[in-house]
Amino acid sequence: MSGQDLESIDITRLRWFVAVAQELHFARAARELGIARQRLSGTVIELEEELGTKLFVPGAQPTELTADGEALLTRALELIAAAPEPRPDADPGVERLRVGFVPGVTVTKWERIWADRFPDTPLDLIPVPMKEQESALREGTVDMCFVRLPIDRGGMSAIPLYREVPVVVVPKDHPIALFEQVATVDLADERMQDASDLDDAAMTMELVAAVSGAAIVPHSLARLHQRKDLVYRTVTDVPETEIALVWTEDDTSELVEEFVGVVRGRSQRSSRSPSGKSADHAARQQNSSSRAAGGKSASGGKGGGKQAGGRKPSANSKQSAAKKPAKRRGR
């Protein structure tokens, strides 16, 4: 690696690399940086490809720097120290909504709708480890969070969104790869890797690839950490997991209600959202004012003989107002 190579690298990517190099843990570094773990991993991979070297020892547990990684860390710290401080993006005077999400949840669709609908209200998307999903809500780290159930719902409002199919991850040359779906009985003789810590699913995949065996994880995590040397197949008799949007009942603000509307697919003019209610109320006031200004009393002021709206009574109306002749009695 030459100094010229490093000078051309964006300082933000160097900061991200340094965070991982110092923590020696991708998930913790991502949490400290406030970005998604997969985004951080992708940045490190791009950096390795750009520099033409490995910065971290492949498959090492715990995470370990290579010799080139150690050299980059030293140089990166020098470059970061010499760089101007980044200008903070967050304006403390601007109202914003902080929404957390656990690994495997994709929030880009809702982020896009929010940006179109509320361009002046920033939406902060914060990756939250599963083991911290409840504490993040109760401690106010986030205003809302996409969580993986179960969660203690005491004092919480929750909207279940969708269920995740369980899949088994195996090496691509494994016999299970020949099937579309399997049952747990088919895995009785397999070397099962512990996949209980879903926050560390990437390492679980590493173990499956390195020492063979299998691991059962939610489909979203298998897709998130998909590798060319692994495949995943549906498991038919393992309970599905469920994703829900959760917030504390004491913090049900208008912004929270607006985001609920976005997630539920309500239109911008929906009367069930605060902005929709305001627009609907304004429209009713406008219509009421228009009716009051345009209608006159049929008996008030000049032209009292005119009908409402200032129209003269028609000839038919005059005739109907005259006294009708009495009907003839029968003989």
Side-chain angles (χ1 to χ4, degrees), residues 277-309:
K277 291 175 185 175
S278 300
D280 188 48
H281 178 67
R284 286 199 301 270
Q285 283 187 321
Q286 185 176 1
N287 291 338
S288 178
S289 299
S290 299
R291 286 196 299 271
K296 294 182 180 179
S297 172
S299 60
K302 292 183 180 180
K306 295 181 180 180
Q307 293 179 337

Short mmCIF file of all heavy atoms in Angstrom, two decimals, residues 277-309:
data_model
loop_
_atom_site.label_atom_id
_atom_site.label_comp_id
_atom_site.label_asym_id
_atom_site.label_seq_id
_atom_site.Cartn_x
_atom_site.Cartn_y
_atom_site.Cartn_z
N LYS A 277 -55.63 14.67 9.15
CA LYS A 277 -56.69 15.28 9.95
C LYS A 277 -56.65 16.79 9.81
O LYS A 277 -57.68 17.45 9.68
CB LYS A 277 -56.52 14.90 11.43
CG LYS A 277 -56.81 13.43 11.73
CD LYS A 277 -56.50 13.13 13.18
CE LYS A 277 -56.67 11.64 13.47
NZ LYS A 277 -56.26 11.31 14.85
N SER A 278 -55.46 17.37 9.81
CA SER A 278 -55.33 18.82 9.70
C SER A 278 -55.83 19.29 8.35
O SER A 278 -56.54 20.30 8.24
CB SER A 278 -53.86 19.23 9.88
OG SER A 278 -53.41 18.83 11.16
N ALA A 279 -55.45 18.56 7.28
CA ALA A 279 -55.89 18.94 5.94
C ALA A 279 -57.40 18.81 5.81
O ALA A 279 -58.07 19.65 5.22
CB ALA A 279 -55.17 18.08 4.90
N ASP A 280 -57.96 17.74 6.39
CA ASP A 280 -59.40 17.51 6.32
C ASP A 280 -60.15 18.60 7.09
O ASP A 280 -61.17 19.11 6.64
CB ASP A 280 -59.73 16.13 6.89
CG ASP A 280 -61.18 15.75 6.66
OD1 ASP A 280 -61.65 15.90 5.53
OD2 ASP A 280 -61.84 15.30 7.62
N HIS A 281 -59.60 18.99 8.25
CA HIS A 281 -60.23 20.03 9.05
C HIS A 281 -60.21 21.36 8.31
O HIS A 281 -61.20 22.10 8.29
CB HIS A 281 -59.51 20.16 10.39
CG HIS A 281 -60.06 21.25 11.27
ND1 HIS A 281 -61.32 21.20 11.83
CD2 HIS A 281 -59.50 22.43 11.68
CE1 HIS A 281 -61.53 22.29 12.54
NE2 HIS A 281 -60.44 23.05 12.46
N ALA A 282 -59.08 21.67 7.67
CA ALA A 282 -58.96 22.92 6.92
C ALA A 282 -59.95 22.95 5.76
O ALA A 282 -60.55 23.97 5.45
CB ALA A 282 -57.53 23.10 6.42
N ALA A 283 -60.09 21.80 5.08
CA ALA A 283 -61.03 21.73 3.96
C ALA A 283 -62.46 21.94 4.42
O ALA A 283 -63.24 22.64 3.76
CB ALA A 283 -60.88 20.37 3.25
N ARG A 284 -62.83 21.35 5.57
CA ARG A 284 -64.19 21.54 6.09
C ARG A 284 -64.43 22.99 6.46
O ARG A 284 -65.51 23.54 6.21
CB ARG A 284 -64.41 20.64 7.31
CG ARG A 284 -64.58 19.17 6.97
CD ARG A 284 -65.25 18.42 8.12
NE ARG A 284 -64.47 18.53 9.34
CZ ARG A 284 -63.52 17.66 9.69
NH1 ARG A 284 -63.25 16.63 8.91
NH2 ARG A 284 -62.86 17.79 10.84
N GLN A 285 -63.42 23.64 7.05
CA GLN A 285 -63.58 25.05 7.41
C GLN A 285 -63.77 25.91 6.17
O GLN A 285 -64.59 26.82 6.13
CB GLN A 285 -62.36 25.53 8.19
CG GLN A 285 -62.34 25.08 9.64
CD GLN A 285 -61.20 25.74 10.40
OE1 GLN A 285 -60.12 25.91 9.87
NE2 GLN A 285 -61.46 26.13 11.63
N GLN A 286 -62.98 25.59 5.12
CA GLN A 286 -63.08 26.35 3.89
C GLN A 286 -64.45 26.19 3.25
O GLN A 286 -65.08 27.14 2.80
CB GLN A 286 -61.99 25.92 2.90
CG GLN A 286 -61.97 26.77 1.62
CD GLN A 286 -60.81 26.38 0.73
OE1 GLN A 286 -60.05 25.48 1.06
NE2 GLN A 286 -60.67 27.06 -0.38
N ASN A 287 -64.97 24.95 3.23
CA ASN A 287 -66.29 24.70 2.66
C ASN A 287 -67.38 25.41 3.46
O ASN A 287 -68.32 25.97 2.90
CB ASN A 287 -66.57 23.20 2.62
CG ASN A 287 -65.69 22.48 1.62
OD1 ASN A 287 -65.18 23.11 0.68
ND2 ASN A 287 -65.50 21.18 1.80
N SER A 288 -67.24 25.39 4.79
CA SER A 288 -68.22 26.05 5.64
C SER A 288 -68.23 27.54 5.40
O SER A 288 -69.29 28.18 5.32
CB SER A 288 -67.90 25.75 7.11
OG SER A 288 -68.80 26.42 7.96
N SER A 289 -67.04 28.15 5.25
CA SER A 289 -66.96 29.58 5.00
C SER A 289 -67.56 29.93 3.65
O SER A 289 -68.23 30.95 3.49
CB SER A 289 -65.49 30.03 5.04
OG SER A 289 -64.93 29.77 6.30
N SER A 290 -67.31 29.07 2.66
CA SER A 290 -67.85 29.31 1.32
C SER A 290 -69.37 29.29 1.34
O SER A 290 -70.04 30.11 0.71
CB SER A 290 -67.32 28.26 0.33
OG SER A 290 -65.92 28.34 0.25
N ARG A 291 -69.96 28.34 2.07
CA ARG A 291 -71.43 28.26 2.14
C ARG A 291 -72.00 29.47 2.85
O ARG A 291 -73.02 30.02 2.45
CB ARG A 291 -71.84 26.98 2.86
CG ARG A 291 -71.64 25.72 2.05
CD ARG A 291 -72.41 24.55 2.66
NE ARG A 291 -71.95 24.26 4.00
CZ ARG A 291 -70.96 23.42 4.27
NH1 ARG A 291 -70.33 22.79 3.30
NH2 ARG A 291 -70.59 23.19 5.52
N ALA A 292 -71.32 29.92 3.90
CA ALA A 292 -71.82 31.08 4.65
C ALA A 292 -71.77 32.34 3.81
O ALA A 292 -72.64 33.19 3.89
CB ALA A 292 -71.01 31.26 5.93
N ALA A 293 -70.76 32.49 2.98
CA ALA A 293 -70.62 33.69 2.16
C ALA A 293 -71.53 33.67 0.95
O ALA A 293 -72.00 34.70 0.48
CB ALA A 293 -69.16 33.83 1.70
N GLY A 294 -71.82 32.52 0.42
CA GLY A 294 -72.58 32.44 -0.84
C GLY A 294 -74.07 32.35 -0.65
O GLY A 294 -74.84 32.67 -1.56
N GLY A 295 -74.60 31.97 0.53
CA GLY A 295 -76.04 31.78 0.71
C GLY A 295 -76.67 32.94 1.45
O GLY A 295 -76.14 33.45 2.41
N LYS A 296 -77.86 33.47 0.99
CA LYS A 296 -78.59 34.55 1.66
C LYS A 296 -79.93 34.03 2.14
O LYS A 296 -80.50 33.11 1.57
CB LYS A 296 -78.83 35.71 0.69
CG LYS A 296 -77.56 36.42 0.26
CD LYS A 296 -77.87 37.59 -0.65
CE LYS A 296 -76.59 38.30 -1.07
NZ LYS A 296 -76.89 39.44 -1.97
N SER A 297 -80.50 34.70 3.14
CA SER A 297 -81.79 34.30 3.68
C SER A 297 -82.88 34.60 2.68
O SER A 297 -82.88 35.64 2.02
CB SER A 297 -82.05 35.04 4.99
OG SER A 297 -83.37 34.81 5.41
N ALA A 298 -83.85 33.71 2.54
CA ALA A 298 -84.94 33.91 1.58
C ALA A 298 -85.87 35.02 2.02
O ALA A 298 -86.63 35.55 1.22
CB ALA A 298 -85.74 32.62 1.43
N SER A 299 -85.82 35.42 3.27
CA SER A 299 -86.75 36.43 3.74
C SER A 299 -86.06 37.69 4.22
O SER A 299 -86.70 38.63 4.65
CB SER A 299 -87.59 35.87 4.90
OG SER A 299 -86.74 35.48 5.97
N GLY A 300 -84.73 37.72 4.18
CA GLY A 300 -84.02 38.85 4.75
C GLY A 300 -83.70 39.92 3.73
O GLY A 300 -83.41 39.64 2.58
N GLY A 301 -83.77 41.25 4.12
CA GLY A 301 -83.35 42.38 3.31
C GLY A 301 -84.20 42.54 2.07
O GLY A 301 -85.30 42.05 1.96
N LYS A 302 -83.64 43.33 1.10
CA LYS A 302 -84.33 43.53 -0.17
C LYS A 302 -84.39 42.21 -0.92
O LYS A 302 -83.53 41.38 -0.80
CB LYS A 302 -83.60 44.55 -1.01
CG LYS A 302 -83.68 45.97 -0.43
CD LYS A 302 -82.99 46.95 -1.34
CE LYS A 302 -83.08 48.36 -0.77
NZ LYS A 302 -82.43 49.35 -1.64
N GLY A 303 -85.41 42.12 -1.76
CA GLY A 303 -85.55 40.89 -2.53
C GLY A 303 -85.96 39.76 -1.65
O GLY A 303 -85.61 38.62 -1.91
N GLY A 304 -86.74 40.07 -0.59
CA GLY A 304 -87.15 39.01 0.30
C GLY A 304 -88.03 38.00 -0.38
O GLY A 304 -88.18 36.89 0.08
N GLY A 305 -88.61 38.38 -1.52
CA GLY A 305 -89.44 37.43 -2.25
C GLY A 305 -88.65 36.48 -3.11
O GLY A 305 -89.23 35.63 -3.78
N LYS A 306 -87.30 36.66 -3.13
CA LYS A 306 -86.46 35.77 -3.92
C LYS A 306 -86.10 34.53 -3.13
O LYS A 306 -86.04 34.57 -1.91
CB LYS A 306 -85.18 36.49 -4.34
CG LYS A 306 -85.42 37.67 -5.28
CD LYS A 306 -84.12 38.32 -5.66
CE LYS A 306 -84.30 39.50 -6.60
NZ LYS A 306 -83.01 40.12 -6.97
N GLN A 307 -85.80 33.45 -3.82
CA GLN A 307 -85.34 32.24 -3.16
C GLN A 307 -83.87 32.36 -2.80
O GLN A 307 -83.18 33.25 -3.27
CB GLN A 307 -85.56 31.03 -4.09
CG GLN A 307 -87.03 30.72 -4.33
CD GLN A 307 -87.20 29.55 -5.24
OE1 GLN A 307 -86.30 29.23 -6.01
NE2 GLN A 307 -88.35 28.90 -5.17
N ALA A 308 -83.41 31.48 -1.91
CA ALA A 308 -81.99 31.47 -1.53
C ALA A 308 -81.13 31.42 -2.76
O ALA A 308 -81.38 30.67 -3.69
CB ALA A 308 -81.69 30.29 -0.62
N GLY A 309 -80.04 32.23 -2.75
CA GLY A 309 -79.16 32.28 -3.90
C GLY A 309 -79.55 33.41 -4.83
O GLY A 309 -78.91 33.64 -5.84
#
